[in-house]
């Protein structure tokens, strides 16, 4: 190990005990919901930058950080994205999706119309970099899907912690996003996230999250 390539780790110490901090964070994040009722109330660009840079602090394969976050507030571009997304979603709801899929979506009372893509003050479109380009030369990235997926988790958490709401929107196929935003060939659309404040009359479906017993399997020593 070359010591000049490393610095001492600066640990983060939460307020209170580890148990208290983890319980508080669990409660905060359990309040997070995906939302389709966005206000057009403005969100400052600085807030969006903080949120995105929090997402960009996520771990990635070989620290390649294989992502680009496109933050869109332009009314013209949002309108173009909505138009293209609704065209794909119409096809999804009218033939592409299986009957089981459509039935599973009934609880969300959703359809192919996506007005929130124009109403929300910001759209964050996450692109994954299949490879990097350095003076025209391809540079390999590693665990791209896993890395970008983790970054998106950080993104949703940062949005919630900022007091805003979001929706993970994946109109499939999403190639239109690459065209509308004029992204290079090494970038592929991964996730479309509207960001903003909720409307005063916003509602969410009644859902039940899985319990600890349903999602955790412990492997412990007998004396623990």
């Amino acid at each position: 190990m070359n010591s000049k390539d490393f610095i001492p780790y600066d640990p983060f110490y939460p307020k209170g005990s580890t148990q208290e901090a983890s319980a508080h964070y669990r409660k905060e994040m359990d309040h997070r919901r995906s939302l389709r009722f966005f206000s057009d109330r403005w969100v400052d660009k600085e807030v969006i930058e903080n949120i995105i840079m929090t997402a960009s602090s996520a771990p990635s394969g070989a620290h390649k950080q294989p992502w680009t976050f496109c933050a869109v507030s332009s009314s013209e571009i949002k309108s173009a994205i909505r138009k293209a997304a609704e065209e794909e979603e119409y096809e999804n709801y009218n033939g592409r999706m299986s009957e089981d899929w459509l039935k599973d979506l009934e609880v969300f009372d959703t359809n192919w119309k996506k007005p929130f893509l124009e109403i929300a003050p910001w759209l964050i479109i996450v692109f994954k970099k299949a490879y990097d380009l350095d003076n025209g030369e391809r540079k390999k990235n590693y665990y791209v899907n896993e890395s970008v997926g983790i970054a998106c988790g950080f993104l949703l958490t940062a949005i919630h912690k900022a007091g805003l709401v979001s929706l993970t929107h994946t109109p499939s196929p999403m190639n239109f996003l690459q065209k509308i935003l004029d992204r290079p060939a090494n970038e592929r659309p991964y996730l479309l996230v509207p960001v903003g404040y909720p409307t005063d009359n916003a509602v969410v479906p009644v859902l039940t999250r899985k319990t600890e017993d349903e999602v955790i399997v412990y492997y412990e020593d007998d004396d623990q």
Side-chain angles (χ1 to χ4, degrees), residues 11-151:
F12 169 76
Y13 295 107
K15 295 179 180 179
S17 68
T18 303
Q19 289 83 357
E20 290 170 336
S22 63
H24 178 71
Y25 190 70
R26 174 183 176 179
K27 185 176 181 180
E28 277 193 324
M29 292 310 299
D30 194 49
H31 192 71
R32 190 209 62 79
R33 296 294 301 268
S34 296
L35 207 73
R36 289 175 171 81
F37 299 92
F38 287 86
S39 165
D40 61 1
R41 177 182 169 190
W42 180 244
V43 175
D44 287 342
K45 183 178 178 180
E46 181 182 0
V47 174
I48 299 301
E49 181 174 308
N50 288 335
I51 287 167
I52 290 175
M53 293 313 296
T54 298
S56 195
S57 73
S60 60
H63 195 56
K64 292 291 185 175
Q65 304 165 87
W67 47 63
T68 297
F69 298 86
C70 294
V72 177
S73 65
S74 162
S75 299
E76 182 179 354
I77 296 176
K78 287 194 296 180
S79 179
I81 289 174
R82 177 187 176 181
K83 181 177 183 295
E86 288 186 336
E87 288 175 357
E88 296 295 349
E89 292 286 55
Y90 181 85
E91 296 298 328
N92 288 336
Y93 278 86
N94 291 275
R96 286 179 184 162
M97 290 178 175
S98 67
E99 289 301 318
D100 286 343
W101 193 347
L102 291 171
K103 185 173 179 58
D104 285 338
L105 288 174
E106 287 178 359
V107 65
F108 302 103
D109 192 26
T110 184
N111 55 44
W112 62 270
K113 297 178 182 179
K114 309 298 177 184
F116 53 78
L117 293 175
E118 287 188 280
I119 297 171
W122 290 93
L123 303 180
I124 298 177
I125 299 90
V126 186
F127 285 83
K128 65 179 183 180
K129 290 187 175 181
Y131 53 90
D132 272 326
L133 288 173
D134 185 4
N135 293 323
E137 182 182 355
R138 287 194 182 196
K139 298 291 185 179
K140 187 174 177 59
N141 287 330
Y142 309 95
Y143 300 105
V144 172
N145 285 329
E146 294 86 347
S147 299
V148 178
I150 295 169

Side-chain angles (χ1 to χ4, degrees), residues 205-220:
V206 177
L207 301 176
T208 302
R209 290 190 167 102
K210 292 182 177 180
T211 66
E212 294 93 331
D213 291 340
E214 292 176 291
V215 300
I216 304 174
V217 179
Y218 287 107
Y219 297 83
E220 300 177 280

